[in-house]
Amino acid sequence: MQERLAGVRCLVLGGGGFIGTHLCRALHREGAEVRGFGRRRSYPDALRAISWSSGEFTDPIAVARAVEGHDVVFHLVGGSTPESSNRDPYGDLIGGAGATIRLLDICRAAGIRQIIYVSSGGTVYGVPQVVPIPESAPTDPISAYGVSKLMIEKYLHADHHLHGTEYTVLRVANPFGPYQSPERRQGIIPTVMERIIRGRAVEIWGDGGVVRDYVYIDDVVRAVIAAIDHRGPNRIFNVGGGRGRTVSEIVEDVAEVLERPEFARTHKPARHTDVPLNVLDISRIGHDLGWMPETDWRDGLQKTAAWLRSWIAGRAE
Amino acid sequence: MQERLAGVRCLVLGGGGFIGTHLCRALHREGAEVRGFGRRRSYPDALRAISWSSGEFTDPIAVARAVEGHDVVFHLVGGSTPESSNRDPYGDLIGGAGATIRLLDICRAAGIRQIIYVSSGGTVYGVPQVVPIPESAPTDPISAYGVSKLMIEKYLHADHHLHGTEYTVLRVANPFGPYQSPERRQGIIPTVMERIIRGRAVEIWGDGGVVRDYVYIDDVVRAVIAAIDHRGPNRIFNVGGGRGRTVSEIVEDVAEVLERPEFARTHKPARHTDVPLNVLDISRIGHDLGWMPETDWRDGLQKTAAWLRSWIAGRAE
């Protein structure tokens, strides 16, 4: 396993974010030559050993310069959230699907051998008819964020048909773990954790009965790496934790891990962009790529809590 | 039936094109107040009785001005073709899905009661797994044109979920009839007809075995009108001719209708953006809206030929 990627030249677009930071480090550990590209590195210290190009994904010249000389391109760009995308769906379209169209041309010209796209298992399906949701389920997003993510998958498919571009799509559920900032509204786990650690009230949207699929970041990164050089009839894979948890359960478990069983809550109205239930069927990736989540839920929460405590301490200095 | 739309204020975006010209006239005949909007009227004489606003669909100010004061908006905008979209997929995205995002905001602000979107049954499905293709089939377009059309459907769905926007999507197969210009590469029927009438060789792409679904324009317009004020669980409907025909059959039938059984052909390589087989399952629209195609195939060809002959004569003057 060690060094299995020796000499593979990897470019991670969006490499400075939560998943990107972990992916760059993991690729590097496995012997790949890694470059990150993005607007900024959220945790520059974590990426000290990784080459870095600063640039906007919407700037085709910067992207072309970064793509040159690589074998595999990981597309993790996604600056927005479902909520913010609905405030500016046009900007979301240009920065997501629009910039991806140009990326495809650039990758073709540069002879990239595979594009791996990290899509959103939590939004592309919309309100599911069957749970757990298989990859073949209808895709009817209820946010502009989900539509743009889905459209990127569709452009990859068309490009494969027209030009033979090799690609793999990973529809990742809600990832959590170290480097997921509580400030950027990326997920409820760091947000809830930070509030409990600081002794603030936890905000619960709706009745807390919304069901989500959480998957630990190390497992996500293993799935992405397993997809390298994958060829086969299936190109789209769900990546999830294998079971659903209600928001109430998650909050209770976080409090338990933090050893703060008594904590304050406030209730807020349900958000219309939240699908009520989202759990991914992960049997396809198990079958085709031999992947399954391995991190125990409470272990994952413990590691996240340890990182978050040091992050909070670092900011207090 | 006559005047059943009395007082309904209809805006037809893309009203100057092939389908738009027919739709404006049919709405007017049924008593609606009709305004067309678009870059230009291909056949201004045909729209003499119809109010008209000239403008670009990508200009939100022009669109907002046109939308104001209407009840129902028909979205027929689509300047490109599958072939041209693959030359400029970015422009296709901005002009299609991008401009539609803005249209949705505009319609919401103006209190539009329904948006009817004419999508593309020939491209949104991609290479079908089941034929005839039901609306529930996978949608994996193989052209940027198809991706942009599909995403417009998805934005309508998300907007309905978020804001209650009422909409209906018609996935129309290959329409044919008068006002379909042989100059604009909109379909093989006028192209083949014109060549045979002028005594030129007919170009056959591939082996002529590609199967297409053709539907006469009057039937398409009836389907669009039947969708007005439709409410129900299904919002997406196929509109097709109910059977497939090979390109070779179509060419033979055109020659027969034109009474030119002897005509020259040249063969060209198959085009990669052509799906090999496309026939739509039209049972859903039959069930929900009571629509089915009524025009006899040869009658449709005869009417098309009569128009095309006068068009050619008009240009020769």
Side-chain angles (χ1 to χ4, degrees):
Chain A
M1 190 70 183
Q2 214 62 1
E3 302 289 305
R4 83 169 181 95
L5 297 178
V8 179
R9 297 167 302 172
C10 296
L11 176 68
V12 182
L13 300 171
F18 165 44
I19 300 177
T21 298
H22 284 273
L23 179 61
C24 286
R25 288 162 60 96
L27 290 166
H28 179 71
R29 276 198 304 274
E30 300 227 10
E33 291 175 28
V34 187
R35 175 173 294 276
F37 173 92
R39 193 175 291 160
R40 65 189 193 92
R41 282 166 286 192
S42 300
Y43 306 96
D45 287 352
L47 293 177
R48 256 178 313 205
I50 311 294
S51 305
W52 180 261
S53 301
S54 282
E56 295 282 334
F57 185 49
T58 48
D59 173 359
I61 294 165
V63 172
R65 206 172 284 148
V67 165
E68 196 60 42
H70 289 90
D71 303 305
V72 180
V73 169
F74 300 84
H75 179 347
L76 277 66
V77 180
S80 70
T81 64
E83 283 286 311
S84 73
S85 75
N86 290 327
R87 285 192 298 273
D88 180 19
Y90 190 83
D92 201 68
L93 178 80
I94 303 301
T100 300
I101 288 173
R102 292 186 160 151
L103 173 67
L104 294 176
D105 283 343
I106 290 165
C107 287
R108 195 160 63 248
I112 293 300
R113 91 179 183 224
Q114 187 187 16
I115 300 171
I116 297 180
Y117 175 54
V118 174
S119 182
S120 166
T123 63
V124 297
Y125 297 110
V127 180
Q129 289 162 16
V130 178
V131 177
I133 312 170
E135 289 86 349
S136 57
T139 45
D140 293 307
I142 57 170
S143 63
Y145 177 89
V147 176
S148 181
K149 295 269 175 195
L150 179 64
M151 193 172 335
I152 290 171
E153 297 184 4
K154 301 296 183 187
Y155 280 118
L156 284 163
H157 173 82
D159 215 62
H160 170 70
H161 179 88
L162 294 169
H163 307 294
T165 309
E166 293 293 346
Y167 75 97
T168 307
V169 171
L170 299 171
R171 290 180 176 165
V172 177
N174 296 288
F176 74 102
Y179 301 131
Q180 189 176 33
S181 165
E183 287 176 316
R184 301 191 60 201
R185 296 177 165 272
Q186 290 179 322
I188 63 166
I189 289 177
T191 307
V192 166
M193 256 184 199
E194 190 202 16
R195 290 193 156 257
I196 296 181
I197 291 172
R198 293 188 190 274
R200 295 188 188 143
V202 173
E203 293 177 344
I204 310 274
W205 305 79
D207 67 358
V210 167
V211 173
R212 286 287 173 276
D213 183 339
Y214 274 85
V215 55
Y216 189 64
I217 184 67
D218 290 358
D219 290 330
V220 173
V221 165
R222 265 194 311 109
V224 174
I225 290 177
I228 296 174
D229 287 336
H230 164 70
R231 300 289 183 274
N234 294 317
R235 294 178 173 273
I236 299 182
F237 298 99
N238 285 338
V239 176
R243 60 160 281 195
R245 295 168 207 277
T246 65
V247 167
S248 296
E249 273 180 80
I250 293 166
V251 171
E252 294 294 336
D253 291 348
V254 165
E256 198 186 298
V257 159
L258 295 172
E259 298 176 351
R260 301 274 185 95
E262 303 298 322
F263 64 95
R265 323 156 190 232
T266 56
H267 289 268
K268 294 205 155 192
R271 293 185 304 187
H272 209 46
T273 40
D274 286 338
V275 295
L277 177 59
N278 180 273
V279 184
L280 303 181
D281 181 336
I282 54 172
S283 50
R284 181 188 281 180
I285 190 169
H287 183 271
D288 288 18
L289 300 183
W291 177 92
M292 58 163 65
E294 290 173 2
T295 308
D296 174 77
W297 167 242
R298 279 187 170 70
D299 279 0
L301 289 181
Q302 291 285 9
K303 287 176 183 155
T304 308
W307 175 80
L308 192 63
R309 284 197 165 107
S310 74
W311 180 82
I312 290 171
R315 292 170 62 85
E317 278 163 12
Chain B
M1 192 69 185
Q2 214 63 1
E3 302 288 306
R4 82 169 181 96
L5 297 177
V8 179
R9 297 167 303 171
C10 296
L11 175 69
V12 182
L13 300 171
F18 165 43
I19 301 177
T21 298
H22 285 272
L23 179 61
C24 285
R25 290 163 58 97
L27 289 167
H28 179 72
R29 276 198 303 275
E30 300 229 8
E33 292 176 28
V34 187
R35 175 172 296 273
F37 173 93
R39 192 175 291 162
R40 64 189 194 92
R41 282 165 288 192
S42 301
Y43 306 97
D45 287 352
L47 293 178
R48 255 179 312 206
I50 310 294
S51 305
W52 181 259
S53 301
S54 282
E56 295 283 334
F57 185 49
T58 49
D59 174 358
I61 294 166
V63 172
R65 206 172 283 146
V67 165
E68 195 59 43
H70 289 91
D71 302 306
V72 180
V73 169
F74 300 84
H75 179 348
L76 277 66
V77 180
S80 70
T81 64
E83 282 288 310
S84 72
S85 76
N86 290 328
R87 285 193 297 272
D88 180 18
Y90 190 84
D92 201 68
L93 178 79
I94 303 301
T100 300
I101 288 174
R102 294 188 158 148
L103 173 68
L104 293 177
D105 283 344
I106 290 165
C107 287
R108 195 159 64 247
I112 293 300
R113 91 178 182 225
Q114 187 187 16
I115 301 171
I116 296 179
Y117 175 54
V118 174
S119 182
S120 165
T123 63
V124 298
Y125 296 110
V127 180
Q129 290 162 14
V130 177
V131 176
I133 311 169
E135 290 86 349
S136 57
T139 44
D140 293 308
I142 57 171
S143 63
Y145 177 89
V147 176
S148 181
K149 295 270 176 193
L150 178 63
M151 288 310 135
I152 289 172
E153 298 184 4
K154 301 296 181 187
Y155 280 116
L156 284 162
H157 173 82
D159 215 63
H160 170 70
H161 180 87
L162 294 169
H163 307 294
T165 310
E166 294 291 347
Y167 75 97
T168 307
V169 170
L170 299 171
R171 290 179 176 165
V172 176
N174 296 288
F176 74 102
Y179 301 132
Q180 188 177 33
S181 165
E183 288 177 316
R184 301 191 60 202
R185 296 176 166 273
Q186 289 179 322
I188 63 167
I189 290 176
T191 306
V192 167
M193 255 183 198
E194 190 201 18
R195 289 194 156 258
I196 296 181
I197 291 171
R198 292 189 190 272
R200 295 188 188 144
V202 173
E203 293 176 344
I204 310 273
W205 303 79
D207 67 357
V210 166
V211 173
R212 286 286 173 277
D213 183 339
Y214 274 84
V215 55
Y216 190 64
I217 185 64
D218 289 358
D219 290 329
V220 174
V221 165
R222 266 194 311 107
V224 175
I225 290 177
I228 296 174
D229 288 335
H230 164 69
R231 299 288 182 274
N234 294 317
R235 293 178 174 274
I236 299 182
F237 298 99
N238 285 338
V239 177
R243 60 159 281 194
R245 295 168 206 277
T246 65
V247 166
S248 298
E249 271 181 80
I250 293 166
V251 171
E252 294 294 336
D253 291 349
V254 165
E256 196 186 301
V257 160
L258 294 173
E259 298 176 353
R260 300 275 184 92
E262 303 298 323
F263 64 96
R265 326 158 189 228
T266 55
H267 288 268
K268 294 206 155 193
R271 292 185 304 186
H272 209 46
T273 40
D274 285 338
V275 296
L277 178 59
N278 180 274
V279 184
L280 302 182
D281 180 337
I282 54 172
S283 51
R284 181 189 280 181
I285 189 169
H287 183 270
D288 288 18
L289 299 182
W291 177 92
M292 59 162 63
E294 290 174 1
T295 309
D296 173 77
W297 167 242
R298 280 189 169 68
D299 279 1
L301 290 180
Q302 291 285 8
K303 286 177 183 156
T304 307
W307 174 80
L308 192 64
R309 284 198 165 105
S310 74
W311 181 83
I312 291 171
R315 290 169 62 87
E317 275 163 14

